[in-house]
């Protein structure tokens, strides 16, 4: 894919915790037609933008930037400011995962952490998390890969990047989850529906997921459900236009119940419909619906 004449390329900066899936993300974007450069010093971003802006240059570029760049990593803020001055769109995708998952992944590959070549992996993760905290806060999209297989991560990337181009508006993910498995680390907004009666305690409904009509009817019939959803819709009516005006590209809204099988699934489906009614690209993911 080449850039239109006179139109600057778009940059996606892939960064995050070592072991959280940066390489898999880069490969997935490459499959989607991005021109991908791995571990490029941030100081060269401006030069890359200049080269890409020439006739026939790539329209969409993904750059992997991480702690392997050593002192170069500290130049990223300055490089992003340079891109902004050149009126080049740059978005940051931050890959994260729980410390336990990161340790397990390092142990399975027997690789050393780049910040702890002679120390325990957990010490390298601690150092990296401190170093990465400001960048995580500035990220346009945070993807929590805790518990995800490489295939599931590729699906998340395709969902986020395979549809409308980022400049076409806010892209939304609605995620149902179970609090007993932990809230998604990449959520911008978290809603708790554990106040609703739990279908788990209804014998006929317990084995059924929230996607089944019987469970959906039970949850939606609760008086508090309709009042809650109406309030959420009113809140989103105010917040979503604000996100769009401020140039936010990605929004992850997480809805949790105890186990992530019933109440959160029903509510997530309805909130997903809210975004579709407004013409916004939305993906609804039921993270824990298959868990026991």
């Amino acid at each position: 894919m080449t850039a239109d004449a006179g139109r600057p390329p778009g940059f996606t900066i892939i960064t995050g915790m070592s072991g959280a899936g940066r390489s898999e993300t880069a490969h997935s974007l490459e499959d989607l037609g991005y021109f991908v450069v791995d571990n490029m010093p941030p100081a060269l971003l401006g030069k890359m933008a200049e080269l890409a802006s020439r006739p026939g240059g790539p329209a969409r570029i993904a750059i992997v930037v991480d702690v392997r760049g050593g002192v170069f990593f500290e130049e990223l803020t300055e490089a992003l400011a340079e891109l902004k001055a050149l009126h080049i769109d740059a978005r940051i995708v931050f890959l994260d995962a729980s410390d336990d998952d990161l340790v397990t992944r390092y142990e399975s590959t027997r690789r050393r952490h780049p910040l702890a070549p002679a120390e325990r992996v957990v010490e390298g993760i601690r150092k990296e998390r401190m170093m990465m905290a400001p960048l995580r806060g500035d990220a346009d999209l945070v993807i929590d890969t805790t518990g995800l297989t490489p295939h599931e991560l590729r699906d998340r990337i395709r969902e986020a990047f395979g549809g409308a181009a980022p400049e076409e508006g806010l892209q939304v993910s609605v995620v149902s989850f179970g609090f007993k498995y932990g809230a998604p680390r990449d959520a911008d907004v978290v809603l708790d529906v554990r106040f609703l009666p739990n279908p788990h305690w209804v014998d006929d409904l317990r084995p059924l997921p929230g996607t089944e009509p019987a469970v959906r009817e039970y949850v939606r019939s609760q008086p508090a459900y309709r009042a809650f959803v109406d309030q959420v819709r009113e809140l989103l009516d105010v917040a979503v236009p604000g996100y769009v005006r401020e140039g936010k590209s990605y929004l992850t809204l997480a809805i949790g119940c105890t186990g992530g099988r019933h109440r959160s699934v029903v509510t997530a489906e309805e909130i997903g419909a809210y975004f579709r009614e407004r013409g916004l690209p939305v993906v609804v993911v039921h993270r824990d619906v298959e868990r026991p």
Side-chain angles (χ1 to χ4, degrees):
M1 181 181 294
T2 57
D4 297 334
R7 179 179 177 181
F11 275 76
T12 297
I13 310 298
I14 304 170
T15 189
M17 298 295 294
S18 299
R22 292 187 310 252
S23 296
E24 192 64 48
T25 298
H27 294 154
S28 298
L29 289 179
E30 194 168 33
D31 291 341
L32 291 173
Y34 280 72
F35 181 81
V36 178
V37 181
D38 188 18
N39 200 25
M40 187 179 77
L44 297 181
L45 280 175
K47 184 65 175 178
M48 173 62 75
E50 177 186 338
L51 294 173
S53 297
R54 296 176 181 176
R60 299 191 296 179
I61 302 169
I63 307 292
V64 181
V65 178
D66 53 61
V67 294
R68 291 174 298 168
V71 296
F72 294 117
F73 183 76
E74 299 173 3
E75 302 173 0
L76 181 58
T77 300
E78 183 178 339
L80 291 174
E82 181 182 356
L83 292 181
K84 185 175 181 180
L86 294 171
H87 304 290
I88 292 174
D89 181 42
R91 290 178 169 82
I92 300 173
V93 177
F94 192 99
L95 281 298
D96 203 353
S98 69
D99 288 0
D100 288 344
D101 263 36
L102 294 176
V103 169
T104 299
R105 292 171 192 178
Y106 268 98
E107 289 179 345
S108 66
T109 60
R110 300 183 182 276
R111 296 177 60 190
R112 295 181 177 181
H113 193 283
L115 293 184
E119 300 176 286
R120 298 172 62 206
V121 169
V122 291
E123 181 61 19
I125 293 172
R126 184 190 67 81
K127 292 178 181 177
E128 187 176 25
R129 205 170 283 288
M130 291 177 60
M131 180 185 296
M132 288 290 195
L135 189 55
R136 190 186 194 282
D138 291 337
D140 298 283
L141 174 63
V142 178
I143 299 178
D144 179 14
T145 67
T146 303
L148 294 185
T149 65
H151 178 77
E152 290 169 334
L153 175 56
R154 287 194 294 271
D155 287 344
R156 291 289 301 276
I157 297 301
R158 282 194 292 268
E159 290 163 0
F161 292 90
E167 62 269 16
E168 293 179 8
L170 186 68
Q171 298 180 68
V172 182
S173 293
V174 179
V175 182
S176 69
F177 71 95
F179 275 100
K180 70 178 183 179
Y181 303 113
R185 299 169 64 92
D186 52 353
D188 298 296
V189 179
V190 177
L191 302 176
D192 184 350
V193 293
R194 287 176 292 183
F195 65 91
L196 295 170
N198 192 347
H200 176 80
W201 303 116
V202 179
D203 291 341
D204 292 340
L205 301 180
R206 183 179 300 123
L208 301 177
T211 52
E212 288 292 326
V215 178
R216 184 166 59 246
E217 181 178 351
Y218 176 85
V219 173
R220 288 183 173 181
S221 69
Q222 306 303 320
Y225 174 83
R226 181 46 51 195
F228 175 77
V229 169
D230 287 346
Q231 290 292 316
V232 170
R233 291 172 69 96
E234 290 182 15
L235 171 64
L236 294 174
D237 282 342
V238 175
V240 170
Y243 289 141
V244 174
R245 284 194 302 270
E246 290 301 310
K248 187 173 179 61
S249 301
Y250 307 99
L251 172 67
T252 300
L253 191 153
I255 302 171
C257 60
T258 303
R261 280 183 51 81
H262 299 118
R263 295 164 291 179
S264 62
V265 172
V266 173
T267 311
E269 289 289 341
E270 182 151 351
I271 298 303
Y274 165 91
F275 288 105
R276 282 190 287 271
E277 290 166 6
R278 283 149 182 77
L280 290 170
V282 59
V283 175
V284 178
V285 177
H286 301 307
R287 192 191 74 177
D288 300 325
V289 71
E290 298 298 331
R291 295 202 186 207

